Amino acid sequence: MKKIVLFMLLVIVIMSVVGCSQPDADKKAMVIVSFGTSYADTRELTIAATEDVFREEFGSYDIYRAFTSQTIIDILEERDNIKVNNVREVMELLTKEKYGEVVVQPLHVMNGAEYDEMSSIIKEYEGNFNEVKIGKALLSSVADYEKTVEALATQFPETKDGEAIVFMGHGTHHDANAVYGTLEYVFHANGYKNVFVGTVEGYPTLDNVINELEENNINKVTLMPLMIVAGDHAHNDMAGDEEDSWKVRLKEQGYEVETYLHGIGENEEIRKIYLTHAKKAIEGENE
Amino acid sequence: MIKKYAIKTWMEIGFIIIITLFIARPWIEKGLNRITIFDTKDYEIDFVDDSGYRIRMKKPADSVISLYSAHTENLFAIGADREVIGVGTHSIYPYEVLLKEKYDYRSDPEKVIAIHPDVVIIRPFIERHSPDFVNSLRRSGITVVSLYPDNFDEFDDYIMKLAKIVGKENTAKKKLEGFHKELDNLKVKNIDENKRVGVYFESSDREYKTITNNSMPAYAIELAGGINIATDAIPIEEGSSIAAYGVEKILEKADEIDVYVTQRGVMGAGGNYHSISIRPGFYAIKAVRNKRILEINQKIISSPTFRFIKGVKQLRRTFYPEIYDEIQEFDEDHLITREEFAKILVKLNHDVIFIPTSSYYRDDNKEHYYGALVDVTIEHESFDYIETAIRKSYLKSEIIDNEEYFNPEKYVTREELARVIYLLNDLENKIDIIINDEENIENIKIVKTIVSNKLMDLENGKFYPKRNITFEELKKGLDL
């Protein structure tokens, strides 16, 4: 009898321990991951505004924010007393909170180095949840390119002959750098002949873009960032007034230059693409 | 039994002594350095450094590794460029240091030990940050000198210690004399009390820190004729030049702040123009409303170097542009040189003088590098104006046989003026006019637009792009 009682007690203890560490199937979290920015104004207009759209669309999910740039996380914490989690921290937090389902939607432009790094961190935590799903970056499928082209076209000013739009992308050493050339190709294929895409740190370079501008007898250029936020790159590398900024380099070649200082995170149609990617991830279409 | 007990006790005592000596090794080493009674040799150099070590050297060092950029800069300034055989990873000034071997106190000390320089010069921060690195150097017999002046009053003493190490005392004395004389000349004296500008200096945007009253930036503000509105700031710790202030106190004095100066160039420094102007409540600050926010590189305002003069000059220009950015008048037919042009443009646009940070040289694709001009060295009277004009792309340098030239005495051409007018204005391109000497013009779009907008004229239908410009033409083109 004594043995049976002891055995029953043991079973209860084991069950309760196991029960405690099990995720709660009803708890669902969605993490919106981006590089981050220390500029409060563009952060509100892009990242925070996109999160609001996700909150509206995915009412049953708790929305969490994570940045991939530790430098920006540190600046925000030290300077503004704003705590933002990195990807690892947010996964730890969700584990602690016993979420059953976790959907991670990055606001990256491409499935590049940051996307890979983020995915590998998330994979380490897969066992802690019933389901973990990762949405794709903006430019993943052919349909994404088509939709992105149309989304970006909504922010174009009216252009005449001899006028062009030039996007400034970041550029990367990763294979995914090919997205920039592809995006420009799709712009042209869809009739936006005078739209060109260059990068700060990858290929095509601004020199490549200038060659295209010359070939197409362009006279006036509107510069736009192909980045979620309009942060340092947009303010300095694109629209700054020093010798190496794109604005100055184009002006000294005799181009009229306008600048559009808004991250693509402000573009409602771009946000919709990210929403679609999150939905697809939930439906398991990425697998 | 007694004998056995004694041995054990002695062993224990011996063990304790060995452990104690081992633990106390750094203090013992430091102490031995100060003992002189056992050493009767004559030392030409004998002083106590800022980490408390007694430094004794029989003769000046012939090979020095300087691990702090300000020391490096000052050693070059007093003529010890040959003696400096290695520098820290952040050293970028003067330009010649880029050719020196780099050493990092955050990595293996063996790289330094292998070279065995006569002296390694550090600052107390390095001693605190990397004690193992520094102790390894000391143990290997290298003389390590730790220096850092806490405030401006200690600057001369600090420079003279550096000079002693490398035997350049005469040059250093002259340099200091010239430095103080120049500061005296720079002192803004003739401003009415009611016209003096109120200044807030942001040393860090973390908790809105400012500077103490005896700090170098506070002295610079005073010399430049400004009134520091945060003299009631309390140092974050005794002896520190950083002071706590806080957003409430800044906003309390919003109307007194005519100029908001923010120190840039290192992590954790002040905010930039954009981030300051969008802070909640900051629009109440007069300087923010009037767009009088100055971003200044900490190297010329907080760092103990001779470049402090540049910081004071910049503050004067920002505080009183009507005086210090006044453009020199010339006769109408005076031909403008490139040096004069650079000066006029920087003053006209109130451009902040360009001071690079260490990341600047990481880009190996630049057409021009700060400090690389053969004919405009750091000693050149217009060095800052010329480097800033190049940075702003007003003028270009010329490369001949891998060397960069600015040609300051050359006259400015009409096409160069047209290019600057185009850069400085947002003009609509008008290219439907005919210019008869089009074949001689490098950028026809720019010239046609300038002529169409009547900012420059044609003569008999020709532009004459290579002709030199007079002061009269310049005034018309730039709307002076």
Side-chain angles (χ1 to χ4, degrees):
Chain A
M1 183 64 195
K2 223 176 182 181
K3 276 185 181 171
I4 292 169
V5 171
L6 271 174
F7 179 73
M8 291 296 283
L9 272 171
L10 193 68
V11 167
I12 289 166
V13 167
I14 290 170
M15 289 296 282
S16 60
V17 168
V18 171
C20 278
S21 63
Q22 282 238 322
D24 178 347
D26 291 337
K27 281 186 87 174
K28 296 195 281 189
M30 187 171 285
V31 187
I32 311 298
V33 179
S34 61
F35 181 82
T37 175
S38 64
Y39 288 1
D41 51 355
T42 188
R43 192 171 60 241
E44 287 308 309
L45 292 169
T46 58
I47 298 169
T50 306
E51 287 162 355
D52 287 343
V53 174
F54 272 76
R55 216 165 266 123
E56 180 83 20
E57 184 71 27
F58 301 102
S60 58
Y61 287 79
D62 295 331
I63 305 290
Y64 284 83
R65 171 185 290 181
F67 287 171
T68 54
S69 166
Q70 194 58 44
T71 307
I72 286 169
I73 292 172
D74 292 345
I75 289 174
L76 290 177
E77 182 159 18
E78 284 177 38
R79 186 188 68 187
D80 303 336
N81 227 353
I82 295 173
K83 171 71 188 156
V84 180
N85 291 311
N86 61 31
V87 178
R88 192 173 290 286
E89 285 165 344
V90 86
M91 295 311 283
E92 295 277 355
L93 180 68
L94 299 182
T95 305
K96 216 168 118 191
E97 298 287 332
K98 299 189 185 66
Y99 277 94
E101 182 187 335
V102 174
V103 179
V104 180
Q105 179 56 52
L107 300 184
H108 299 331
V109 171
M110 67 182 88
N111 301 299
E114 279 191 46
Y115 184 91
D116 288 351
E117 200 183 324
M118 176 199 79
S119 303
S120 71
I121 294 171
I122 293 166
K123 284 209 162 52
E124 289 177 35
Y125 291 86
E126 264 178 348
N128 299 356
F129 311 99
N130 297 340
E131 275 183 300
V132 177
K133 291 154 176 174
I134 306 174
K136 289 281 188 192
L138 181 69
L139 297 171
S140 297
S141 66
V142 175
D144 290 338
Y145 283 89
E146 302 272 357
K147 281 189 208 161
T148 300
V149 160
E150 294 310 323
L152 293 174
T154 62
Q155 65 187 46
F156 290 171
E158 209 175 295
T159 50
K160 297 182 214 133
D161 276 353
E163 295 184 358
I165 309 289
V166 171
F167 278 101
M168 177 198 252
H170 191 280
T172 172
H173 56 277
H174 191 279
D175 305 349
N177 191 70
V179 296
Y180 300 108
T182 313
L183 182 65
E184 184 177 303
Y185 190 97
V186 178
F187 267 119
H188 295 178
N190 284 20
Y192 301 100
K193 300 286 182 199
N194 286 348
V195 178
F196 305 98
V197 182
T199 65
V200 197
E201 291 175 16
Y203 187 91
T205 62
L206 179 61
D207 286 332
N208 300 131
V209 172
I210 290 174
N211 286 341
E212 289 193 278
L213 297 177
E214 268 174 37
E215 277 170 23
N216 289 281
N217 293 319
I218 300 300
N219 198 32
K220 183 179 175 182
V221 168
T222 302
L223 291 171
M224 293 184 173
L226 183 66
M227 300 172 187
I228 282 295
V229 302
D232 255 335
H233 284 303
H235 282 274
N236 299 321
D237 297 322
M238 189 184 90
D241 57 1
E242 292 185 334
E243 57 178 343
D244 40 11
S245 88
W246 284 26
K247 181 177 130 188
V248 170
R249 287 189 56 199
L250 286 165
K251 272 193 99 171
E252 51 184 35
Q253 303 273 336
Y255 294 100
E256 275 180 58
V257 181
E258 302 269 343
T259 54
Y260 177 85
L261 276 171
H262 301 273
I264 58 170
E266 287 187 44
N267 185 315
E268 287 181 17
E269 298 303 314
I270 292 287
R271 291 178 194 157
K272 282 183 192 164
I273 302 173
Y274 285 118
L275 283 178
T276 311
H277 285 197
K279 279 183 201 160
K280 280 189 175 176
I282 293 169
E283 288 157 13
E285 283 184 36
N286 288 343
E287 285 144 26
Chain B
M1 188 69 189
I2 292 168
K3 202 179 171 188
K4 203 177 175 187
Y5 179 75
I7 288 169
K8 199 182 167 196
T9 310
W10 281 114
M11 278 174 71
E12 280 171 1
I13 291 169
F15 185 67
I16 289 165
I17 289 172
I18 288 166
I19 294 288
T20 312
L21 284 173
F22 184 76
I23 293 169
R25 195 178 46 169
W27 291 281
I28 293 166
E29 279 175 2
K30 203 166 170 175
L32 282 174
N33 258 311
R34 294 179 186 180
I35 296 170
T36 54
I37 49 168
F38 303 118
D39 192 349
T40 52
K41 281 178 245 161
D42 284 334
Y43 288 98
E44 191 182 317
I45 299 158
D46 188 342
F47 65 88
V48 175
D49 77 2
D50 294 336
S51 287
Y53 284 90
R54 183 161 189 172
I55 306 300
R56 286 172 304 165
M57 292 159 61
K58 289 187 197 120
K59 58 184 177 64
D62 202 40
S63 56
V64 173
I65 291 180
S66 161
L67 294 178
Y68 174 47
S69 59
H71 298 338
T72 309
E73 189 175 328
N74 290 325
L75 285 165
F76 270 73
I78 58 173
D81 46 332
R82 183 188 62 81
E83 286 80 356
V84 176
I85 57 160
V87 298
T89 47
H90 289 300
S91 273
I92 55 160
Y93 187 89
Y95 183 69
E96 291 71 29
V97 304
L98 298 171
L99 300 170
K100 300 281 182 184
E101 189 67 31
K102 297 260 194 259
Y103 295 89
D104 189 353
Y105 61 82
R106 286 154 300 199
S107 66
D108 193 346
E110 282 307 320
K111 191 179 168 193
V112 178
I113 294 168
I115 300 289
H116 211 282
D118 293 338
V119 175
V120 171
I121 313 181
I122 60 166
R123 60 171 170 156
F125 170 83
I126 298 176
E127 183 116 36
R128 288 195 300 273
H129 183 279
S130 304
D132 293 344
F133 176 92
V134 177
N135 285 332
S136 297
L137 299 187
R138 286 205 176 98
R139 272 201 296 279
S140 74
I142 296 171
T143 303
V144 178
V145 185
S146 175
L147 296 173
Y148 191 80
D150 282 327
N151 55 56
F152 190 75
D153 294 339
E154 294 172 15
F155 182 69
D156 288 21
D157 187 42
Y158 151 68
I159 292 293
M160 289 315 293
K161 278 179 182 161
L162 276 181
K164 266 184 205 165
I165 296 169
V166 287
K168 307 280 180 195
E169 284 152 288
N170 285 335
T171 320
K173 260 183 212 155
K174 275 187 206 144
K175 188 86 191 167
L176 282 168
E177 274 166 27
F179 174 71
H180 289 295
K181 205 170 153 193
E182 192 164 0
L183 283 182
D184 270 351
N185 291 337
L186 286 175
K187 195 170 166 63
V188 173
K189 291 164 190 141
N190 304 321
I191 303 284
D192 287 347
E193 201 53 37
N194 58 0
K195 284 192 180 152
R196 287 178 67 196
V197 296
V199 181
Y200 177 75
F201 189 96
E202 179 167 299
S203 62
S204 169
D205 57 5
R206 275 62 161 171
E207 295 161 12
Y208 301 98
K209 292 191 195 84
T210 186
I211 33 141
T212 56
N213 296 335
N214 65 351
S215 65
M216 291 184 69
Y219 184 49
I221 292 169
E222 186 194 321
L223 285 171
I227 302 167
N228 178 10
I229 63 104
T231 47
D232 53 338
I234 300 152
I236 49 170
E237 58 188 60
E238 206 187 311
S240 172
S241 59
I242 307 290
Y245 211 58
V247 68
E248 291 81 12
K249 280 183 122 173
I250 298 172
L251 293 178
E252 246 171 51
K253 299 191 177 181
D255 258 345
E256 293 170 39
I257 306 172
D258 298 298
V259 178
Y260 198 105
V261 183
T262 174
Q263 157 171 275
R264 305 276 299 154
V266 281
M267 274 290 285
N272 63 16
Y273 185 102
H274 181 74
S275 70
I276 289 169
S277 56
I278 61 168
R279 284 180 192 159
F282 265 50
Y283 196 70
I285 298 170
K286 206 165 148 193
V288 176
R289 279 201 309 274
N290 296 331
K291 298 186 164 51
R292 294 187 76 186
I293 300 173
L294 168 67
E295 287 184 27
I296 194 162
N297 188 310
Q298 58 93 24
K299 290 279 173 214
I300 61 167
I301 195 89
S302 292
S303 192
T305 70
F306 294 102
R307 275 198 289 171
F308 181 64
I309 284 187
K310 293 182 195 282
V312 177
K313 281 185 181 169
Q314 178 59 58
L315 290 189
R316 292 197 328 170
R317 287 182 54 224
T318 307
F319 293 172
Y320 307 107
E322 65 285 1
I323 304 171
Y324 299 106
D325 271 350
E326 196 187 21
I327 289 160
Q328 191 187 346
E329 286 287 328
F330 298 96
D331 290 339
E332 300 226 310
D333 56 356
H334 171 88
L335 295 177
I336 300 293
T337 65
R338 286 164 60 82
E339 180 180 352
E340 286 161 353
F341 196 42
K343 220 165 165 177
I344 289 169
L345 290 169
V346 172
K347 286 186 169 193
L348 176 70
N349 297 301
H350 307 300
D351 293 319
V352 178
I353 59 156
F354 175 56
I355 303 290
T357 54
S358 48
S359 61
Y360 167 86
Y361 289 99
R362 274 182 223 143
D363 173 4
D364 48 13
N365 258 331
K366 289 188 198 296
E367 280 177 31
H368 162 73
Y369 285 95
Y370 179 92
L373 296 169
V374 174
D375 53 355
V376 182
T377 62
I378 52 173
E379 305 298 334
H380 193 285
E381 194 194 339
S382 300
F383 174 83
D384 289 317
Y385 289 111
I386 289 169
E387 282 291 357
T388 307
I390 296 176
R391 180 67 180 163
K392 290 281 173 186
S393 201
Y394 302 148
L395 287 158
K396 298 273 178 192
S397 60
E398 188 185 8
I399 296 173
I400 303 168
D401 295 336
N402 282 327
E403 291 200 315
E404 261 196 83
Y405 295 86
F406 180 74
N407 304 312
E409 288 94 21
K410 260 195 184 173
Y411 295 121
V412 177
T413 66
R414 281 171 55 81
E415 182 149 9
E416 282 174 326
L417 174 63
R419 190 178 159 280
V420 165
I421 300 171
Y422 189 83
L423 271 182
L424 293 178
N425 297 281
D426 288 323
L427 299 169
E428 196 181 321
N429 278 359
K430 288 182 189 163
I431 47 177
D432 47 2
I433 56 160
I434 293 162
I435 294 180
N436 292 333
D437 55 351
E438 201 169 299
E439 67 282 1
N440 299 329
I441 297 169
E442 271 179 46
N443 195 312
I444 193 65
K445 267 196 277 189
I446 290 179
V447 170
K448 280 187 172 177
T449 302
I450 296 300
V451 173
S452 300
N453 281 284
K454 297 193 170 21
L455 295 163
M456 289 176 81
D457 302 321
L458 297 179
E459 200 180 302
N460 304 322
K462 289 186 174 179
F463 182 69
Y464 298 104
K466 301 279 181 284
R467 234 186 230 177
N468 302 127
I469 58 158
T470 61
F471 186 56
E472 190 186 6
E473 280 176 288
L474 180 137
K475 280 206 293 188
K476 183 185 170 195
L478 296 175
D479 196 21
L480 294 182

